Structures are given as structure tokens and as C-alpha cells.
Amino acid sequence: METSKTYTVQPVDAGEQNINQPEFIRLPKPGQRCPLTGISRSAMNELVLASEGNGFKPPVRSVSLRKPGNVRGIRLIVTKSLLDYLYAQAE
């Protein structure tokens, strides 16, 4: 029995999300880089926090989680939003 194998040389669509990829990632620790993209913590902050540099409209979606009464929390970055932004910059 012969099975037909089809191959392609077309690039993977940027819209497809890897099943093993997390939906959210944390900001890298100070002095470290994102393991998924290689972007530094300060560069990630510029992408996810509203500032004068981005017209107070961050290009990458994120969410800050903290318990009521706490000053600090954690910032989670929407992985798809980050990757979509990076792919758009590559085009």
C-alpha cells in the first residue's frame, strides 16, 4: 500500500499557534531575556505599557494581576499579540 505524502516549501502562517505554546508569558526577570522571543525586559515593557513613545497605546496586549490591597503583582503578556506584532514588523 502506497501513501501519498505532500510537502510544501511555503512558510508557516503567522496566525497558526503552536499547541505547545502558552497563551500568556511573564515578563522576563531583570537582566534576562524572553525565552520565546529573545527580547529584553525593558524592550518588552515598552511594547506592553502605555507610554509617550507608543502614543499611550501599547502595541502588545498584556494584563496585570495582583491581589486586592497589594501594590505589586505580575504582568502577563498575551503571546499571540506579541508574536503578531513581531511578525508584522518583519513584513
Side-chain angles (χ1 to χ4, degrees), residues 7-62:
Y7 297 96
T8 182
V9 294
Q10 298 299 319
V12 176
D13 181 19
E16 293 179 16
Q17 187 167 355
N18 185 346
I19 193 80
N20 295 323
Q21 194 172 59
E23 189 169 346
F24 298 95
I25 57 173
R26 289 184 73 160
L27 270 176
K29 293 181 180 179
Q32 294 186 351
R33 294 184 171 272
C34 171
L36 181 64
T37 63
I39 298 175
S40 67
R41 179 184 176 93
S42 59
M44 290 276 257
N45 270 324
E46 290 176 13
L47 295 175
V48 300
L49 297 176
S51 68
E52 190 175 333
N54 58 30
F56 298 99
K57 293 185 179 185
V60 176
R61 290 181 37 220
S62 69

Side-chain angles (χ1 to χ4, degrees), residues 56-73:
F56 298 99
K57 293 185 179 185
V60 176
R61 290 181 37 220
S62 69
V63 62
S64 179
L65 298 178
R66 65 181 173 85
K67 293 180 181 178
N70 285 6
V71 175
R72 296 183 183 172

